[in-house]
Amino acid sequence: MTEEDRLGPAGDAVYEALMKAHQGLSAEHSHALNARLVLLLSNEVGDATRLRELFAAARDMGFATDRREI
Amino acid sequence: MTDRYPPYPYTPPPGLGAPEPRHPVVIVGAGPVGLSIAIDLAQQGIRCVVLDDGDTVSVGSRAICWAKRTLEIFDRLGVGETMLAKGVTWQVGRLFHGEKQVWEFDLLPETGHKYPAFINLQQYHVERMLLERAHAFPDLIDLRFRNRVTDHAERGDHVELIIETPDGDYTLEADWYLACDGARSATRSRMALPFEGQSFEERFLIVDVEMPQSPFAVADRPERWFWFAPPFHEGQSALLHKQPDDIYRIDLQLGPDADPEVEATEERVLPRIRAIVGDTPFRLDWMSVYRFRCAMLDNFVHGRVIFVGDSAHVVSPFGARGGNGGIQDVDNLGWKLALVLKGEASSALLDSYDDERRHGARENILHSGRATNFMTPKSEMEALLRHEVLRLAETQPFARRLINSGRLSQPCSLDGRPLQTRGEAPIAPGSAMPDAPVVGKNGCRWLIEALQGRFVLLGVGGAVLPEVPGLESVIVGPRGSGAEVEDTEGLVEQRYGRGAYLLRPDGHVCAFFDTPQVEEVKEALARAKGGFL
Ligand SMILES: Cc1cc2nc3c(=O)[nH]c(=O)nc-3n(C[C@H](O)[C@H](O)[C@H](O)COP(=O)(O)OP(=O)(O)OC[C@H]3O[C@@H](n4cnc5c(N)ncnc54)[C@H](O)[C@@H]3O)c2cc1C
């Protein structure tokens, strides 16, 4: 998994675009959209080793029970 | 039509009257695996006794898909052509999600192979054909029906068996005991061997119907239909494909809570079939409800007891790897056991059967486990991801490849295993030999016919082969070259490149040489016979 910031100055715009993609969707549809995105992005990345690292890294970050910022 | 379940007569075995001389090999179980190993050994001049508790072939609908590699092995055993002639060769596969067809694909592989990617042929036909072939060796294969093995014990240099017959019990002694007694192997239980893996909760209904009128657009172009979430069968999956004799196999996923007693009844089954085939008249031929598991032994060789086929490993049927995997076990074990019995190899060679075939079984379990998991999502997220894969598949080629309704059995690669000499080659050491059309002076028409069944040094593309004592060499030359085997369409050279291949009797490449020298070929041959284990 890369430690490098690859989005750079486009970060804000990309984040906004992701929010827009979910805008107005029910939680159920947002879920479906995320699932679809993970599949599409997996194909974009294409490299099985990197994908496995990403899946593991995402999982290993754990899940906060305390989400005060929400 | 031939009798589907021909009776195999019981004759009182000699051992009931007086002790029999020790047998080199006793095979327990006359399923596809036990019969195939008996034929393989007989072809190498090895005698065996085959014991089976039944008196006919496998009853009902079990294995139907036989893969190309298996057919190539059956070819070597003298039954491949009979099976191909009787079997159904599929051509078109269709995948549906709900009402929609997601994908249609051509199942015919590249041309220039004697056998197609796979055929459908009922297990009872396969076993009958194997039995007919076994009868061609009356002096070598001693088939004994209604002979049930009830106990066995290893006695140092042999194994002792207790066998029950309608006329009472008797005892046999064997140098080698081949446990081909199937998924519920009593041999395995007696030895208290762990048989671990994954069990699936899901139940599946397996139905065979006889339907003279084809449901396919072009009647003589057999198709395979697979549905995820079929409109006629709430939320589950379904599969329809054709077998010989106008018999169609329909598999319906029932969910984990289905009651097999209730589901395997005409009242429940008939409406389900009508929902699939509509008004087409049909007759119910067989139905049963299954639950599947994937499991294997930690070790296939235990002293003088060798596990082969389902007794050693079981898989869920998605991808048709059970019987096909078992036939690859046979292919791997047959020549090794024959060499050991003839004193041409040490029994250490049998450890390579254990190593190579456990590797094969792990691969089969991995693939059929993945298919079963895809078909039976375990959580909401798994179900959602699968749903999205199916939707994306309508437009995205990558998503089509993620749809897993079973990955068909492929020949197992033995690359990197100790019998192979490492090296780079167009066909890497460890691979099963690819076929190609040829014309041989001995009348053979395919490369597999020319080469399988013994160690051979194969020269392609003008490679000069050294004389190696005790090793047969075969030169494949271009059309019109007058070579022993002519490469009529140039496909041998296209597939194998230029050089020399050392092939094992089971058709796996064990070494490759650009310009072979006697000493290195000898060394590779010794390695392949277990000389360096
Ligand atoms: C629904 C279903 C679909 C399948 N589809 C496929 C498919 O499409 N392709 C595929 O390759 N595989 C398929 N399989 C798997 C295939 O049927 C098995 O892998 C295959 O039968 C294994 O052969 P075997 O000879 O090892 O064991 P078996 O066929 O089980 O034979 C074992 C034999 O040993 C005998 N026996 C057992 N105990 C004793 C004893 N104590 N004494 C004497 N004899 C004994 C039995 O009577 C039997 O004849 C399917 C299985 C099922 C259930």
Side-chain angles (χ1 to χ4, degrees), chain B residues 28-34 51-54 61-66 123 127 147-149 180-183 206 249 290 292 308-310 317 320-324:
Chain B
V28 183
V33 169
L51 305 166
D52 195 274
D53 53 359
S61 194
R62 291 172 73 196
I64 62 171
C65 288
W66 304 94
Q123 187 160 339
E127 290 187 16
N147 273 242
R148 196 163 72 87
V149 177
C180 307
D181 48 357
I206 307 280
R249 164 65 101 29
Y290 284 95
F292 299 115
V308 198
D310 273 15
R321 287 164 182 270
N324 285 296

Side-chain angles (χ1 to χ4, degrees), chain B residues 59-94:
Chain B
V59 172
S61 194
R62 291 172 73 196
I64 62 171
C65 288
W66 304 94
K68 178 170 181 293
R69 181 66 202 145
T70 304
L71 296 169
E72 291 171 350
I73 297 166
F74 282 146
D75 190 82
R76 185 171 66 70
L77 299 181
V79 288
E81 290 176 10
T82 318
M83 292 185 184
L84 182 62
K86 175 77 179 172
V88 168
T89 303
W90 329 340
Q91 295 184 9
V92 178
R94 289 181 203 281

